[in-house]
Amino acid sequence: MNRRRRLYEGKAKILYEGPEPGTLIQHFKDDATAFNARKHESIEGKGVLNNRISEHIFQLLGNVGVPTHFIKRMNMREQLIKEVEIVPLEVVVRNVAAGSLAKKLGLDEGMQLPRSIIEFYYKSDELDDPMVSEEHITAFGWANPQEIDEMMALALRINDFLSGLFFGIGIRLVDFKIEFGRHMEDDTMRIILADEISPDCCRLWDTKTSDKMDKDRFRQDLGGLIDAYQEVARRLGILTENPQNEPSGPRLVTSNE
Ligand code: UDP
C-alpha cells in the first residue's frame, strides 16, 4: 500500500502530502472535540459528512469567485487541496448573539446583532485561542494590514453568500469560524479560504424550530449530532433519500411546509 507522509494531525483532520508538489490531502476524522479538546469523542460518520458538506460549500464559494484551497474530493473522507501557509488566526463572523459573545456581553442568545461582526482569535491550543485585535495581529506580524483587509472582505462575502444559501433551506446562519492561507499565484501572494466549512465550525439553527443543527449538539450533550449533520446535507441537496439519485441541488423550504 502506498504510505503517504503525514504532515500534520489536528483535532478533526489529518493533512498528508499530496500527489503533486504544492498539493495536500485533507482527511476528515470522526473525532469530535470541544473546550480545547477537554471533551473528546469519536462520532461515526461525522468525517464523511463534513467532507461532503465542506466540499459542496467550497465549490459554491469558488463558483461565485471566492478563492479557496479546494481542488477536488478524492474519496469519502479525503479531498485534494492547495498547500498554503496558514494565517495563524481564526476568523469568526457573527450574525446572531450566541456562544462566547452572548456570555461575554450578557446578550440574549438568538438576538439579531445590529450588523455582522468579525472577530479574530490567535490560533494557540496552549493559550485557548485568545481573542486578539488588529493591533495585536499587525504588531506581532501574524498578518499585515492589507491581509487583514482581504480576510475581512472575504469573510463578509462568504457570510452574505452562506446566509442566503442556508436561509433558502430553512437554516439560520448564527455564526461561523473560517481560516485563511497564503498562496503564491503568478508571483503574487494571495489570501485564500482554507481549512473547512461544516457544521463543526458553524452555528446552524432551524429557522422554524430553532433546533441546533451543529456541533453545539455535542458541546451541550444534546445527542443526535449525526442526524442533524445529515439533515443539513440533505437540505443542501447533497444526500438524497434514494442514494441512486444524483444530488439535486438545494431544496427550497417554503413557509407552508
Ligand atoms: N468555532 C470553531 N472553533 C473554535 C472556536 C469557535 O469552529 O475553536 C466556531 C463555533 O462553532 C461558532 C463560532 O466559531 O460557530 C463562534 O464560537 P464562539 O466564539 O461563540 O465560541 P464557543 O462558544 O463555540 O466556544
Side-chain angles (χ1 to χ4, degrees):
M1 199 181 131
N2 177 16
R3 293 309 302 158
R4 293 169 309 192
R5 203 151 66 90
R6 188 165 61 176
L7 302 177
Y8 169 82
E9 178 153 4
K11 286 172 241 163
K13 294 190 292 294
I14 306 173
L15 290 179
Y16 294 99
E17 204 170 50
E20 313 277 344
T23 65
L24 299 176
I25 291 166
Q26 178 165 254
H27 176 107
F28 289 77
K29 301 193 286 184
D30 281 340
D31 300 47
T33 63
F35 316 116
N36 199 7
R38 286 185 289 275
K39 181 175 163 83
H40 180 242
E41 218 175 278
S42 179
I43 303 180
E44 202 184 328
K46 183 175 80 73
V48 172
L49 281 160
N50 281 350
N51 186 26
R52 290 299 300 269
I53 294 172
S54 195
E55 169 199 14
H56 185 74
I57 290 177
F58 272 59
Q59 272 178 337
L60 293 177
L61 287 170
N63 291 345
V64 296
V66 173
T68 84
H69 74 165
F70 181 81
I71 302 173
K72 66 170 186 181
R73 185 164 60 84
M74 306 195 68
N75 55 49
M76 297 278 277
R77 287 188 182 273
E78 293 176 332
Q79 43 186 247
L80 186 66
I81 57 170
K82 295 174 188 165
E83 183 172 20
V84 298
E85 184 195 340
I86 286 284
V87 176
L89 298 169
E90 298 195 340
V91 181
V92 168
V93 184
R94 301 176 182 276
N95 301 305
V96 175
S100 65
L101 180 77
K103 200 165 156 198
K104 206 166 8 198
L105 301 186
L107 305 173
D108 287 338
E109 281 238 332
M111 187 198 101
Q112 190 77 33
L113 298 171
R115 62 174 174 81
S116 302
I117 294 173
I118 301 179
E119 297 169 347
F120 295 102
Y121 293 83
Y122 178 54
K123 272 166 69 75
S124 163
D125 286 341
E126 301 86 77
L127 301 174
D128 262 348
D129 298 343
M131 194 200 250
V132 291
S133 70
E134 292 180 42
E135 280 286 285
H136 298 119
I137 296 170
T138 50
F140 292 110
W142 298 323
N144 65 38
Q146 193 193 335
E147 290 174 327
I148 296 175
D149 286 350
E150 273 176 53
M151 288 189 287
M152 291 180 78
L154 284 171
L156 290 178
R157 281 182 67 196
I158 293 165
N159 183 45
D160 283 349
F161 180 82
L162 292 186
S163 292
L165 176 75
F166 282 118
F167 185 74
I169 55 172
I171 294 174
R172 193 174 183 202
L173 179 61
V174 171
D175 56 34
F176 61 95
K177 183 270 299 181
I178 44 181
E179 295 183 26
F180 292 97
R182 297 184 183 95
H183 188 247
M184 191 59 100
E185 284 165 31
D186 305 323
D187 290 332
T188 311
M189 194 63 100
R190 279 187 86 188
I191 289 286
I192 69 174
L193 180 66
D195 194 49
E196 68 175 303
I197 299 183
S198 72
D200 265 12
C201 43
C202 301
R203 283 200 171 89
L204 303 170
W205 295 353
D206 185 280
T207 40
K208 279 195 204 138
T209 62
S210 291
D211 277 354
K212 297 181 197 302
M213 305 173 76
D214 55 58
K215 206 169 87 174
D216 273 349
R217 300 209 71 86
F218 168 72
R219 292 191 190 97
Q220 300 171 5
D221 291 317
L222 299 173
L225 179 133
I226 288 295
D227 285 348
Y229 284 30
Q230 251 167 359
E231 177 61 13
V232 172
R234 193 185 64 77
R235 291 197 201 175
L236 283 168
I238 301 168
L239 297 183
T240 52
E241 267 77 11
N242 177 356
Q244 311 293 59
N245 287 349
E246 282 297 300
S248 55
R251 204 175 64 85
L252 191 68
V253 174
T254 53
S255 54
N256 55 5
E257 211 173 327

